[in-house]
Amino acid sequence: MRLKKWLRPALRVRTSQQQQKDRRVILLTVLLAGTLMVAIALFAFTSGNAGHELATLATADVASEGEEANTTARADEQGAAANIQIADQQALKRYSLFYFYEDARSTRYLDYQAAHPELSAEQVVIRVNVDLDTVDYEVVSPASDVSVINTLVSKHYSLPYDYEPADLAYYGELLIKSEAIGPLDQLIADASADGVPLSPTSGYRSAATQETLYNGYVASFGYEAAEVQSAHPGFSEHQTGWAIDFSPTNYLFYDTPQAYWLAENAYKYGFIVRYTEENTDMTLYIHEPWHIRYVGSQVSNYMHDNNIASFEEYWVKYVQHTPPPLG
Ligand SMILES: [Zn+2]
């Protein structure tokens, strides 16, 4: 477009005025916008902050409630722990009254008692002392001096596999400790005189024989039944030469005149019925009324007169430990 000459200067003036105005408008707008944005940002920040503060307060509230609960729970726990500690100390005090208490087993007594609340303090100490709180055949000690008459052989006290007693002698076809032959012969003679014939069927057995026997039990009755009826090789009392079985060595022997006669009279000859109905928890074998063990008449009479129900108990009280002198 071509402007008329005279118009040009005016236009130029107007234009520059217009431009200045425009610049002012833009500047103002920018300023306003900036202020607005700052205001919005400030508002957002403060309100956000306030929200945050509120949230913090709420959290603090919850936290303090939670803390209170935690504190209460902790106090309860501490109280319970303190109670347990007191109870444990009281229990340990009860256990330690027995002269056969062993300090090294204190935690085990407490654990065993917790698992068997029905047992008395004395029963707990005796059982833990013969390691009944451990897995059968896994925690094993060598039987104490195997040559002596009061050695304990159990699922936790074993004999060397190749152990063979030095002084075995024949009784009929059986081998037993020579010291036990006289008393056994007398016992059988007296029972017979009472009209109760007894036929001994097994005495000393080597670990190899025991192994065959045990495997036979497993094959016939299965593992679990075998475990409570037959010892593992190296864990049988028969290997000591002090044990004798009478026939039949199974449930047919229960409730027979032979079973009753032995239960009533064996102690008079220095023998004990080793696995009774009352002591299965202690011996870990079923009732075996056909199995007697020679311990000598002093021990057998003592056990009888003092109602000591298992050889384990006798062993803990008089072999593993020695009672303090009387008076
Ligand atoms: Zn036997």
Side-chain angles (χ1 to χ4, degrees):
M1 175 175 95
R2 291 194 55 170
L3 292 167
K4 288 181 178 168
K5 272 182 186 167
W6 60 271
L7 258 179
R8 271 182 198 156
L11 192 67
R12 214 172 288 135
V13 172
R14 277 193 63 193
T15 307
S16 75
Q17 279 174 348
Q18 185 66 42
Q19 277 174 345
Q20 276 175 7
K21 196 182 167 191
D22 283 353
R23 266 190 228 113
R24 275 201 301 274
V25 169
I26 289 167
L27 196 68
L28 206 68
T29 312
V30 167
L31 270 173
L32 267 172
T35 314
L36 196 66
M37 275 174 73
V38 168
I40 288 171
L42 260 174
F43 175 77
F45 177 73
T46 43
S47 64
N49 228 14
H52 176 70
E53 264 163 37
L54 271 176
T56 311
L57 267 176
T59 315
D61 237 26
V62 171
S64 87
E65 268 168 34
E67 207 145 290
E68 262 168 48
N70 275 346
T71 312
T72 315
R74 229 175 293 136
D76 282 353
E77 263 170 43
Q78 280 168 358
N83 283 341
I84 288 171
Q85 259 187 356
I86 290 167
D88 283 356
Q89 280 165 4
Q90 284 171 343
L92 287 176
K93 210 175 253 178
R94 278 200 303 279
Y95 302 148
S96 65
L97 293 177
F98 301 105
Y99 67 85
F100 42 91
Y101 166 88
E102 293 178 8
D103 208 34
R105 298 183 196 250
S106 59
T107 318
R108 292 169 58 185
Y109 296 137
L110 293 171
D111 290 346
Y112 196 72
Q113 180 81 80
H116 302 273
E118 76 284 1
L119 294 179
S120 70
E122 185 182 14
Q123 285 175 313
V124 166
V125 176
I126 292 171
R127 288 172 192 221
V128 171
N129 276 19
V130 287
D131 298 325
L132 294 198
D133 60 327
T134 63
V135 179
D136 300 350
Y137 298 117
E138 277 189 23
V139 174
V140 176
S141 309
S144 59
D145 195 355
V146 290
S147 62
V148 300
I149 197 166
N150 55 16
T151 191
L152 171 68
V153 175
S154 72
K155 292 182 180 180
H156 295 281
Y157 290 86
S158 72
L159 301 164
Y161 192 91
D162 55 1
Y163 171 74
E164 192 185 315
D167 46 354
L168 292 173
Y170 277 100
Y171 183 76
E173 288 180 0
L174 309 180
L175 276 172
I176 58 172
K177 285 283 242 185
S178 56
E179 196 180 332
I181 285 182
L184 176 65
D185 195 46
Q186 191 64 52
L187 178 149
I188 290 172
D190 289 355
S192 179
D194 284 349
V196 183
L198 285 164
S199 29
T201 182
S202 185
Y204 163 75
R205 291 198 293 258
S206 68
T209 305
Q210 187 65 31
E211 190 158 15
T212 310
L213 193 75
Y214 171 79
N215 290 337
Y217 268 95
V218 175
S220 305
F221 308 111
Y223 172 76
E224 274 179 36
E227 280 298 285
V228 293
Q229 293 180 60
S230 177
H232 289 195
F235 294 83
S236 171
E237 225 177 26
H238 284 279
Q239 199 183 340
T240 66
W242 296 119
I244 294 113
D245 285 339
F246 297 103
S247 180
T249 56
N250 58 39
Y251 69 94
L252 292 172
F253 203 93
Y254 292 154
D255 295 324
T256 59
Q258 282 79 2
Y260 292 120
W261 194 94
L262 285 172
E264 193 144 334
N265 300 294
Y267 79 92
K268 297 171 188 168
Y269 304 86
F271 289 92
I272 54 169
V273 176
R274 179 74 171 88
Y275 309 110
T276 67
E277 228 169 331
E278 300 85 56
N279 71 21
T280 52
D281 284 355
M282 187 72 88
T283 65
L284 311 175
Y285 287 104
I286 57 161
H287 179 204
E288 295 191 359
W290 58 84
H291 175 117
I292 59 170
R293 149 86 190 266
Y294 191 68
V295 289
S297 59
Q298 205 185 336
V299 174
S300 65
N301 274 290
Y302 190 87
M303 286 179 66
H304 175 266
D305 296 347
N306 293 281
N307 291 315
I308 297 179
S310 67
F311 188 63
E312 277 77 3
E313 181 179 338
Y314 178 84
W315 187 83
V316 165
K317 290 180 171 175
Y318 302 99
V319 183
Q320 186 182 41
H321 294 269
T322 310
L326 290 172

